[in-house]
Amino acid sequence: MAIIIVANNEAGNIGNKLRSCLAQDYPQDRLDVVVANDGSTDATADIVANYPDQRVKLLEFPVRRGKSACVNDAALGCAAAVLVFTDARQMLNTQAVRSLVENLADPKVGAVSGELVLLQEGMSTFGESLGAYWRYEKFIRQSEALVHSSP
């Protein structure tokens, strides 16, 4: 199982994100983290390259290519049967990966999605409007699920 993160200029977030990924309640010998560095001009690549855990791997793209291209190349380079895609800014609940992977035990399930939960503590007006957007997005996804569609 591999967690894939595409990062561009995420030096301020990537250390916490890696700790969040490695703290998963999942067999540690079956968990890798791949960071596809998408042309960062800050210390993102250095932080990942020097991270003191062998399970963290850096896939370096010196010229910015865009998230989709990096996701595709990172996925092609992984031998893992299960891939989890996540952004650099959002921290993962320690049960996230286990909960996602459990759904794949059903042979009818080929992909699963987690739920973004915005913390209300100290949220700005902009954050509140973002929360409204995510509530609407969640409604749309639930509606699509009712007709066996996926976003």
Side-chain angles (χ1 to χ4, degrees):
M1 201 284 300
I3 299 173
I4 296 177
I5 306 161
V6 175
N8 174 264
N9 292 336
E10 293 289 351
N13 296 317
I14 200 67
N16 286 336
K17 181 59 174 203
L18 293 173
R19 283 187 287 283
S20 170
C21 291
L22 295 170
Q24 290 300 296
D25 177 22
Y26 196 81
Q28 296 297 298
D29 61 329
R30 295 178 22 210
L31 175 69
D32 290 315
V33 180
V34 177
V35 178
N37 182 48
D38 188 17
S40 294
T41 56
D42 66 1
T44 300
D46 292 333
I47 293 167
V48 176
N50 295 306
Y51 201 81
D53 192 307
Q54 300 275 332
R55 295 172 296 162
V56 174
K57 314 223 180 338
L58 173 65
L59 182 58
E60 181 70 62
F61 298 109
V63 176
R64 188 154 189 198
R65 304 170 61 226
K67 185 174 182 178
S68 295
C70 292
V71 163
N72 289 340
D73 286 346
L76 287 172
C78 283
V82 175
L83 304 176
V84 173
F85 301 98
T86 182
D87 289 334
R89 283 167 285 183
Q90 288 80 28
M91 298 303 111
L92 298 176
N93 178 291
T94 58
Q95 298 296 314
V97 169
R98 181 174 294 282
S99 296
L100 291 168
V101 172
E102 284 174 352
N103 289 284
L104 298 174
D106 182 340
K108 296 180 206 164
V109 175
V112 295
S113 176
E115 179 179 358
L116 177 64
V117 177
L118 298 174
L119 301 176
Q120 299 294 320
E121 184 178 315
M123 190 175 285
S124 67
T125 303
F126 175 76
E128 290 173 14
S129 64
L130 186 61
Y133 166 80
W134 279 113
R135 284 190 300 279
Y136 179 63
E137 176 71 20
K138 185 176 173 181
F139 167 76
I140 291 171
R141 290 180 184 191
Q142 289 171 335
S143 298
E144 289 174 329
L146 292 173
V147 294
H148 306 290
S149 176
S150 63

